[in-house]
Amino acid sequence: AAKIGDAIKRSTTMQEIGLAGNDIGADGLDQLVEGIAESTALTKINLSDNKLGDQGAVKLGAAFARSSTLQDVDLQMNQIGAEGARELAAAIAVSPSMRQLGLIGNCVGDDGAAAIAEAIMASKSMQLLDVQYNEIKQIGAEKLAEAVAASQSLLTLDIRCNSIGGAAMRKLGDAIKVNSTIRNMWTEGCTTTTVAAAYLRECAATRGVNLQSPPPEYLQNLGEE
């Protein structure tokens, strides 16, 4: 990771880095994060499945906050909880370039979701948030609904497979009604009520928002649209 970090820092053309499944761990990030922070070219990084935990997310958040070019970050399956999510959220709030954050299969919970929601409201660039399978319940989902309602840049929220409940699902519907940018909201697999799910579908249909699950290549290419 140290050699890669140095290469990222020195390169003026390296735009994407894929390091998924390398067991980097939080300790292995020390040299890598410096390269991320100082790169003038890096726009996309995939660090999925690297056992980063909260400690790693804290280090990455500090680097992301310093980056002026990074746009798309994939951190799925990294055992990131609320503490790490808060640091990532702090980076989103100040980043001039961050567009996509993938956190599938972590454990940010309600507290982490709330922090990310606040960051989205502050961000002028965030377009996609993917928090599938993150132990988010009603409170966290309601905060994300507030973020959808307030955001002027968010295009896609993927909150599938979280136990958000009926009240939060209805708030997501209300958010769709007042937001002018949201295009996709994926909620399949969420624990909710039949009535609330019907209300969300009605709100989405009224505003032309897509509730269908995307094909895998859609998420890969969303930033290019």
Side-chain angles (χ1 to χ4, degrees), residues 8 22 33 45 57 67 81 117 149 164 167 169 174 185-186 195 203 217:
I8 295 171
N22 274 280
V33 292
I45 189 164
S67 172
I164 67 174
M169 183 74 82
D174 291 338
M185 185 179 290
W186 296 314
V195 173
C203 295
E217 63 271 17

Side-chain angles (χ1 to χ4, degrees), residues 60-139:
L60 287 171
F64 296 163
R66 291 169 56 194
S67 172
S68 60
T69 60
L70 194 61
Q71 298 176 1
D72 305 341
V73 175
D74 193 344
L75 296 175
Q76 63 179 293
M77 304 297 292
N78 268 303
Q79 304 162 12
I80 297 171
E83 180 186 356
R86 283 192 288 269
E87 195 67 31
L88 294 172
I92 291 171
V94 299
S95 171
S97 58
M98 185 77 75
R99 298 190 306 179
Q100 300 188 31
L101 177 61
L103 288 170
I104 301 171
N106 285 287
C107 48
V108 304
D110 283 347
D111 288 346
I116 294 171
E118 290 289 338
I120 289 174
M121 286 189 271
S123 172
K124 296 181 180 179
S125 60
M126 271 295 288
Q127 296 180 3
L128 181 149
L129 175 66
D130 191 342
V131 285
Q132 299 176 61
Y133 296 98
N134 261 278
E135 302 176 12
I136 298 170
K137 295 181 170 55
Q138 178 178 335
I139 294 173

Side-chain angles (χ1 to χ4, degrees), residues 196-216:
Y199 179 72
L200 178 65
R201 289 194 297 271
E202 177 186 339
C203 295
T206 300
R207 296 302 298 260
V209 173
N210 175 33
L211 294 181
Q212 299 300 311
S213 297

